[in-house]
Amino acid sequence: MKRRTLPIAAAFAAATLMLTACGGGDDKAGDSDKIAGTGQGTEKPSKSAKPSGAPAQDKPDGVDVSLPADMNLVFDWEKPEKENEAAAMDDAANYVRAIYRGIDKRTTEDAAVAAYSSGDGLKYARTQIDARLEGDWTATGTRRHYQATTRSAPNGNSVEVAFCVDSSKFYSKEVKTGKVLKGAPSITDFDFFKIIMVKLPTGDGLWQASKVYVEGKAAKCQ
């Protein structure tokens, strides 16, 4: 699918700040930026896990969503057949990458955050990044996203992307010391997310996260 580069100024103009979405569940130290659940242990990926961050030269919509090598986001899901739902799913993944890019770059104002979120989705992204900044943490390890489903609104301009996240091998890391903070594996490592993706009228094929709903301690994701 051909996608037009989104001007950064337009991305910021489109990203209006509103009320954040809900989150839930107890987190490991500094792990308050959970995005979506994945299974662990008994749940095996259906295919080879793919790393998350596109290389710097690979910029969907002209926006850099690259991540450091030790921050591995895996999206273990199949794209739906419907073009709009496939595009919304792609940009839901880019939204997750944008949040962790903001964490890595130590800013809520990264262009990727503005490009892939608006409204509640933008507030949620900034809240998650701010939590890491305040704790002086970044993240390291592998975070797996799986069991994704999509559902389109009747008007075709909104798609719900739901998925699980397994953060059992994804840890907080102190920025100053490099110390990795590991807790005992538990149900808190699993979350179930629903992200409402909305098509941006001024961007060809670009979808933004407008709302985020999080179910913590998601047993159905184990």
Side-chain angles (χ1 to χ4, degrees), residues 12 16 98-99 136 177:
F12 275 98
T16 55
I99 291 176
D136 203 22
T177 67

Side-chain angles (χ1 to χ4, degrees), residues 126-182:
R126 288 177 170 172
T127 298
Q128 304 313 304
I129 295 169
D130 277 338
R132 292 280 188 179
L133 298 183
E134 291 172 6
D136 203 22
W137 298 305
T138 182
T140 187
T142 298
R143 180 188 185 101
R144 191 166 69 92
H145 309 71
Y146 72 104
Q147 292 185 3
T149 61
T150 53
R151 183 175 60 176
S152 297
N155 62 11
N157 293 325
S158 176
V159 174
E160 176 193 275
V161 181
F163 54 95
C164 286
V165 168
D166 175 7
S167 57
S168 61
K169 296 181 180 179
F170 198 61
Y171 312 106
S172 295
K173 182 172 72 172
E174 295 179 351
V175 173
K176 291 182 179 179
T177 67
K179 179 181 179 181
V180 176
L181 308 177
K182 294 185 178 182

Side-chain angles (χ1 to χ4, degrees), residues 4-221:
R4 184 175 61 203
T5 298
L6 175 71
I8 300 303
F12 275 98
T16 55
L17 184 59
M18 295 173 65
L19 182 66
T20 186
C22 60
D26 298 327
D27 298 329
K28 290 179 286 188
D31 199 17
S32 60
D33 56 346
K34 293 188 174 183
I35 303 302
T38 299
Q40 92 177 61
T42 58
E43 186 71 32
K44 298 293 185 181
S46 59
K47 60 181 180 179
S48 298
K50 297 181 180 179
S52 71
Q57 68 270 21
D58 185 4
K59 300 180 179 179
D61 305 297
V63 182
D64 192 350
V65 292
S66 60
L67 295 170
D70 70 332
M71 195 182 287
N72 186 30
L73 307 184
V74 174
F75 297 90
D76 185 23
W77 57 40
E78 299 287 343
K79 287 186 181 181
E81 294 182 359
K82 293 182 179 179
E83 184 176 349
N84 274 359
E85 292 184 3
M89 180 179 280
D90 281 344
D91 284 345
N94 287 331
Y95 171 66
V96 176
R97 294 181 181 114
I99 291 176
Y100 282 98
R101 180 174 171 81
I103 290 169
D104 177 57
K105 300 301 181 182
R106 319 305 294 164
T107 178
T108 60
E109 303 300 325
D110 190 82
V113 174
Y116 291 109
S117 59
S118 64
D120 292 5
L122 178 59
K123 183 63 180 294
Y124 177 82
R126 288 177 170 172
T127 298
Q128 304 313 304
I129 295 169
D130 277 338
R132 292 280 188 179
L133 298 183
E134 291 172 6
D136 203 22
W137 298 305
T138 182
T140 187
T142 298
R143 180 188 185 101
R144 191 166 69 92
H145 309 71
Y146 72 104
Q147 292 185 3
T149 61
T150 53
R151 183 175 60 176
S152 297
N155 62 11
N157 293 325
S158 176
V159 174
E160 176 193 275
V161 181
F163 54 95
C164 286
V165 168
D166 175 7
S167 57
S168 61
K169 296 181 180 179
F170 198 61
Y171 312 106
S172 295
K173 182 172 72 172
E174 295 179 351
V175 173
K176 291 182 179 179
T177 67
K179 179 181 179 181
V180 176
L181 308 177
K182 294 185 178 182
S186 73
I187 188 64
T188 62
D189 295 324
F190 298 92
D191 299 284
F192 179 72
F193 278 68
K194 288 183 180 180
I195 301 179
I196 307 303
M197 304 296 296
V198 177
K199 192 172 185 179
L200 186 66
T202 58
D204 185 13
L206 179 70
W207 293 73
Q208 293 181 319
S210 64
K211 293 182 183 297
V212 180
Y213 302 96
V214 186
E215 177 187 335
K217 300 182 181 181
K220 60 188 172 185
C221 291

